[in-house]
Amino acid sequence: MSAALKPLRFALLASLIATGAAVAADDQPKHGIAMHGAPELPADFSHFPYANPEAPKGGDVTYCVVGSFDNLNPFILKSMRTTARGVIDTIFGNLVFESLMMRSADEPFSLYGLLAESVEMDEARSYAEFNLNPDAKWSDGTDVTPEDVIFTYEAYTEKGRPPYSSRMAKIEKIEKTGDHSVRFTFNDKADREFPLIVAMTPIIPEHAFDIETFDQTTLKPVTGSGAYRISEVEPGRRIVFTRNEEYWGENIPSKRGFDNFDKVTIEYFLNANSLIEAFKKGICSVYAESDPVRRQRGIDFPAAREGKVVSETFTNGIPPAVTGFFFNTRREKFADPQVRRALSKLYDFGWVNTNVLRGEYERTLSYWQGSHLSALGKPADERERALLEPFADRVTPDVMDGTYGKAEMAGAPVGRGEMREALQMLQQAGYSLEGNALVNADGEALTFEILVTSEEGEKLAAVFQRVLKKIGIDVSIRLLDDSQAQQRKQRYDFDVIIASVGFSGSLSPGIEQINRWGSEAAKAEGTFNLSGAADPAIDAMIDAMLNARDMDDYAAAVRALDRLLMSGAYVVPMQHDSDEWVAYWSDLAHPEKTPLYGYKLQTWWHNKDAE
């Protein structure tokens, strides 16, 4: 080697050593991870700020739901929405199954240790190595092992339901790296959010599941690592969970103050009216209601007047969940966005809000309404325009410049002007009025059926039906029970259905958007892409969102996606109330702090002083 090259070689070696040291430092085990930036709580945090670590253990609670169930395995296709509540549950808590890490409800998207006490990742997030808590055990006393983690992904891939079944597509390999550690190496299909999705995936025990029968429904109590065991099952009517006195995780920081009841019962009812009557009799401990009329009627009974029942309003900081009429764009009549936009103008929110909802609601138009992620009322910025430039024809001018929705947000009833505008748009799409019917170029009348699952939904559909009739569109309404509706949804066997985009809104939309709006999800049975949206522009915005390195780029990608969804009119969003109203019997108590994502029943406890 020449003398001239020696300094360069030594400089390169020094640079590599320094880089290696930096990478090694970055790869150190961490107690938590966040989608962007760092988690808010330090490594020595004692409990989540919205949980009471001194909450007493004991007592019973009974939750009530409308519907039925015929299965206890929530990870298979046959089980979607017919699995007993509480096994894994966004409302009542994951009573039976747990994940490697647990999401904080007080941060947009941060995870902390659960089955895994720490995680190691490189800056590129090309891998994630989870260090299992040596104390983690299944409810039968068996240790949680790396083999269980590996088996989980094998079972989900071979016989699981979406989205669990598709996760191995982004994983190059999973390997045991120690007695209590397992490493995921990701391939080039993975995005920056995916390690967090892996961390939140429920883990199942290899010794308690048979891979040959994994995809079959079961009513035999399943084994998990959570704080509760299933102790009683009455198919379709009741499921009872009993707290495991030897639960391994009772004192880890992310679970301190959680799982306080000795027994959790979930009762099923045929309809909302019978549920309300059961609450009045004290059968149900908690009653949550979004309908302001039902709120008033439901709370006015003797026990409430005597102070034995408390009603309370909780305020959260997240966008409202979008509920509305989903068009099935797999059907030719709804394939044209011009047709969908025209029909969307005819949902009479103004009349509904005044005559049904007592003026207490706001119109929903954006999928992240009221947050910095929403595009509603905002002109697109430079980042958004750059992202949308290849798909300029997919976004309507009013959505792009921020003027979209002003009339709808004003809340005036639908009048002749709106009907005239909608009819003109339909005529531009090839329809014409023949007598009292709106027909296409082949003379076929535009008719469709709306599926609903509740009396409230039936009332709202009737309002939509009435206005559509005035411009020559014949709409029928079909009321189904939850199980019938689930079967139709799973096969996409509907014209229009009232449904929700998600159980709640989010300040950290991510990979779940693929399942709701992605082109591949439109083709697969059992996804949440009810509308059948299949647009390369949407796919590109989701990809940009998942791979954004900073918050500005991330927010721009979400707003660009919002513009595409509003312009595409895949859903006719209805209305929302940001407040969460709950009535409960006074023998229950809850922490003072309400987290960002709203109240959490799994942190409540039995109030002995109220007895």
Side-chain angles (χ1 to χ4, degrees):
M1 179 180 294
S2 69
L5 288 176
K6 284 182 180 180
L8 179 60
R9 177 181 180 231
F10 290 139
L12 179 60
L13 285 171
S15 175
L16 289 171
I17 292 170
T19 302
V23 170
D26 195 55
D27 286 0
Q28 293 303 304
K30 295 180 175 62
H31 72 292
I33 50 177
M35 182 61 199
H36 298 287
E40 292 181 6
L41 300 178
D44 62 350
F45 83 101
S46 62
H47 63 279
F48 285 137
Y50 56 91
N52 175 11
E54 304 301 324
K57 304 292 185 185
D60 302 345
V61 67
T62 298
Y63 302 126
C64 296
V65 297
V66 174
S68 183
F69 71 93
D70 60 3
N71 178 47
L72 300 181
N73 181 353
F75 309 114
I76 60 175
L77 188 61
K78 293 180 180 178
S79 75
M80 292 183 71
R81 298 287 180 90
T82 58
T83 300
R85 299 287 300 274
V87 181
I88 57 170
D89 202 292
T90 57
I91 305 299
F92 306 132
N94 297 337
L95 305 182
V96 175
F97 292 105
E98 297 178 317
S99 51
L100 294 170
M101 304 188 81
M102 180 172 172
R103 187 169 188 167
S104 168
D106 208 33
E107 301 174 46
F109 197 1
S110 293
L111 308 180
Y112 296 88
L114 188 53
L115 287 175
E117 60 184 0
S118 64
V119 60
E120 303 170 35
M121 290 192 306
D122 60 347
E123 195 281 332
R125 298 188 179 182
S126 65
Y127 77 90
E129 185 163 340
F130 296 92
N131 302 305
L132 301 180
N133 190 316
D135 296 328
K137 294 184 183 300
W138 301 106
S139 60
D140 60 8
T142 307
D143 290 343
V144 177
T145 67
E147 286 83 358
D148 290 319
V149 179
I150 296 170
F151 171 78
T152 295
Y153 279 81
E154 292 173 347
Y156 290 169
T157 302
E158 186 174 340
K159 295 191 173 182
R161 68 168 174 86
Y164 304 114
S165 57
S166 62
R167 290 190 177 161
M168 275 303 296
K170 297 183 179 182
I171 300 171
E172 182 179 315
K173 60 181 177 179
I174 310 175
E175 54 189 330
K176 177 180 177 179
T177 52
D179 291 341
H180 301 290
S181 57
V182 58
R183 182 183 179 111
F184 290 77
T185 302
F186 306 117
N187 60 32
D188 57 5
K189 295 180 182 178
D191 48 69
R192 292 187 61 77
E193 186 194 37
F194 192 63
L196 282 76
I197 300 302
V198 168
M200 293 194 301
T201 300
I203 303 301
I204 61 176
E206 181 176 17
H207 70 279
F209 283 90
D210 182 352
I211 190 66
E212 296 301 319
T213 60
F214 184 76
D215 59 348
Q216 301 301 308
T217 59
T218 181
L219 288 169
K220 178 182 177 181
V222 289
T223 300
S225 62
Y228 291 86
R229 297 186 178 107
I230 299 173
S231 56
E232 182 183 341
V233 179
E234 292 185 41
R237 294 183 56 195
R238 177 185 300 108
I239 182 168
V240 180
F241 303 85
T242 303
R243 190 164 60 86
N244 180 5
E245 296 288 347
E246 298 177 348
Y247 172 52
W248 72 273
E250 184 172 323
N251 291 312
I252 66 171
S254 60
K255 293 293 280 184
R256 197 169 288 133
F258 284 68
D259 311 314
N260 300 312
F261 298 104
D262 283 343
K263 185 171 75 172
V264 176
T265 301
I266 300 178
E267 296 274 0
Y268 285 76
F269 293 85
L270 293 177
N271 54 58
N273 289 333
S274 57
L275 186 156
I276 293 170
E277 292 305 312
F279 173 71
K280 292 178 180 180
K281 295 175 182 177
I283 296 172
C284 309
S285 304
V286 179
Y287 165 51
E289 180 57 73
S290 59
D291 186 327
V293 178
R294 282 190 178 276
R295 289 176 187 177
Q296 184 65 32
R297 292 174 180 171
I299 202 63
D300 186 19
F301 58 98
R305 292 192 288 268
E306 294 168 10
K308 295 178 181 179
V309 171
V310 179
S311 62
E312 191 169 354
T313 299
F314 299 87
T315 301
N316 64 50
I318 61 174
V322 176
T323 299
F325 299 88
F326 280 68
F327 295 115
N328 187 355
T329 64
R330 300 171 185 86
R331 303 205 164 168
E332 186 177 355
K333 67 181 74 176
F334 297 127
D336 186 347
Q338 178 82 340
V339 171
R340 303 194 299 269
R341 290 174 194 140
L343 300 180
S344 297
K345 290 184 173 293
L346 300 179
Y347 173 63
D348 200 346
F349 164 71
W351 189 94
V352 169
N353 198 36
T354 301
N355 296 280
V356 179
L357 302 174
R358 299 190 175 187
E360 296 186 18
Y361 278 62
E362 296 179 35
R363 181 68 194 269
T364 310
L365 292 175
S366 163
Y367 293 81
W368 292 276
Q369 197 152 325
S371 77
H372 68 289
L373 300 177
S374 174
L376 186 65
K378 305 170 187 173
D381 63 20
E382 291 183 4
R383 284 185 172 89
E384 295 171 62
R385 290 183 180 278
L387 288 168
L388 291 167
E389 185 177 6
F391 313 102
D393 62 330
R394 302 292 207 281
V395 181
T396 59
D398 57 345
V399 171
M400 187 64 84
D401 66 21
T403 60
Y404 167 76
K406 287 187 177 181
E408 290 85 347
M409 292 297 290
V414 170
R416 291 184 178 180
E418 288 79 16
M419 286 188 279
R420 187 181 304 111
E421 183 181 359
L423 187 56
Q424 289 173 349
M425 293 174 68
L426 289 165
Q427 289 170 338
Q428 291 168 7
Y431 284 89
S432 60
L433 271 174
E434 289 189 5
N436 294 323
L438 191 71
V439 300
N440 63 15
D442 296 324
E444 298 170 333
L446 178 55
T447 65
F448 58 89
E449 179 184 73
I450 301 175
L451 294 188
V452 299
T453 58
S454 68
E455 293 176 3
E456 289 77 16
E458 193 171 23
K459 291 177 184 176
L460 296 172
V463 175
F464 199 21
Q465 176 191 50
R466 185 174 66 241
V467 179
L468 292 169
K469 182 69 174 176
K470 292 179 180 179
I471 64 165
I473 301 174
D474 187 21
V475 174
S476 60
I477 302 170
R478 184 183 295 268
L479 176 63
L480 300 178
D481 63 32
D482 284 350
S483 60
Q484 292 173 319
Q486 177 52 34
Q487 292 173 11
R488 297 278 291 270
K489 280 164 48 175
Q490 204 162 293
R491 301 192 305 268
Y492 312 120
D493 182 16
F494 60 86
D495 291 331
V496 176
I497 189 169
I498 293 181
S500 177
V501 173
F503 295 113
S504 64
S506 174
L507 287 171
S508 60
I511 198 171
E512 78 284 349
Q513 302 303 314
I514 295 176
N515 202 38
R516 295 175 185 175
W517 307 110
S519 297
E520 290 302 314
K523 305 172 188 174
E525 182 178 317
T527 74
F528 289 105
N529 189 347
L530 298 178
S531 69
D535 185 346
I538 291 177
D539 296 336
M541 295 313 109
I542 296 175
D543 185 65
M545 176 180 68
L546 294 176
N547 288 289
R549 293 280 183 135
D550 62 54
M551 183 54 72
D552 288 339
D553 286 344
Y554 173 76
V558 178
R559 288 195 298 270
L561 174 60
D562 199 23
R563 295 185 198 279
L564 287 166
L565 297 179
M566 288 190 287
S567 298
Y570 300 98
V571 182
V572 183
M574 293 192 289
Q575 57 275 328
H576 68 271
D577 179 5
S578 298
D579 291 333
E580 300 174 309
W581 183 94
V582 181
Y584 56 92
W585 286 79
S586 60
D587 62 344
L588 298 186
H590 61 77
E592 291 184 10
K593 179 178 174 57
T594 301
L596 180 68
Y597 279 84
Y599 71 94
K600 295 297 172 186
L601 291 172
Q602 54 268 47
T603 65
W604 291 30
W605 65 87
H606 179 65
N607 180 15
K608 296 180 180 179
D609 295 337
E611 294 180 342

